[in-house]
Amino acid sequence: MTPIIFRCRRLQLCLPKLTFDWLGTRFYDLVSLSKDKGQLIMAKSVRFLDLFAGAGGLSEGFIQAGFKPVAHVEIDTAACFTLKTRAVYHWLKKSNNLDKYEAYLSQKITREDLYGNTPKPLLNSIINQEISPQTIAGIFKQIDAILGGVKLD
């Protein structure tokens, strides 16, 4: 199988080549293409980083396809609230406990109440920070802490 590496064009434009090459070591095969059938084949429980995450539309697609997010990095605070809320939704759904999420949607509880019983590592996986040459090392320190020494490859 030939691996397909996803690269972020925005990242290439934003960061110097040396930094991107260093970052490139952090990106891993998300999907492989079968040569004989031309079909996309996904490895189980493949993890991903969502850089320039926005409100998480791309992540939602990956999650629905069975990928596991490690972290999301986004500069916009409002988008980060959306990312956190979706992370809580998926956590509650996995534990078959969507009542709290439904209470939040119907405005019976606040966002703080929704986040209150959520594991802190899950909420901390949403990194509200600009990606720049000055911040990239700190961002990846946070991601390394989230991974707890476990490598992605």
Side-chain angles (χ1 to χ4, degrees), residues 18-87:
L18 180 62
T19 304
F20 186 77
D21 288 343
W22 176 78
L23 279 173
T25 64
R26 300 279 183 159
F27 292 114
Y28 299 91
D29 300 352
L30 296 179
V31 179
S32 295
L33 182 63
S34 169
K35 287 181 181 177
D36 53 11
K37 297 182 182 177
Q39 295 175 325
L40 292 176
I41 301 172
M42 183 184 70
K44 291 194 177 200
S45 69
V46 174
R47 298 178 294 170
F48 69 95
L49 300 174
D50 192 355
L51 305 176
F52 306 101
L58 182 62
S59 285
E60 280 297 312
F62 279 131
I63 291 166
Q64 289 176 18
F67 294 97
K68 307 291 183 224
V70 171
H72 308 271
V73 183
E74 173 55 43
I75 191 172
D76 184 83
T77 302
C80 285
F81 281 125
T82 300
L83 289 164
K84 285 182 181 183
T85 302
R86 294 305 296 164

Side-chain angles (χ1 to χ4, degrees), residues 5-143:
I5 306 296
F6 289 90
R7 290 194 168 214
C8 177
R9 181 72 181 136
R10 259 173 89 185
L11 188 62
Q12 288 175 309
L13 295 174
C14 171
L15 301 174
K17 178 105 174 87
L18 180 62
T19 304
F20 186 77
D21 288 343
W22 176 78
L23 279 173
T25 64
R26 300 279 183 159
F27 292 114
Y28 299 91
D29 300 352
L30 296 179
V31 179
S32 295
L33 182 63
S34 169
K35 287 181 181 177
D36 53 11
K37 297 182 182 177
Q39 295 175 325
L40 292 176
I41 301 172
M42 183 184 70
K44 291 194 177 200
S45 69
V46 174
R47 298 178 294 170
F48 69 95
L49 300 174
D50 192 355
L51 305 176
F52 306 101
L58 182 62
S59 285
E60 280 297 312
F62 279 131
I63 291 166
Q64 289 176 18
F67 294 97
K68 307 291 183 224
V70 171
H72 308 271
V73 183
E74 173 55 43
I75 191 172
D76 184 83
T77 302
C80 285
F81 281 125
T82 300
L83 289 164
K84 285 182 181 183
T85 302
R86 294 305 296 164
V88 172
Y89 165 79
H90 288 290
W91 177 71
L92 291 170
K93 182 180 176 185
K94 188 175 182 180
S95 62
N96 201 25
N97 187 18
L98 285 175
D99 294 341
K100 194 164 192 171
Y101 185 75
E102 291 168 6
Y104 170 70
L105 290 179
S106 62
Q107 299 180 346
K108 294 177 183 170
I109 64 171
T110 65
R111 181 183 327 167
E112 290 74 24
D113 294 333
L114 178 68
Y115 295 170
N117 294 325
T118 304
K120 294 295 179 211
L122 179 64
L123 295 175
N124 292 340
S125 71
I126 313 303
I127 302 170
N128 185 193
Q129 197 168 357
E130 175 186 17
I131 298 174
S132 72
Q134 293 79 26
T135 62
I136 196 69
I139 290 170
F140 275 108
K141 280 184 183 179
Q142 291 178 56
I143 293 169

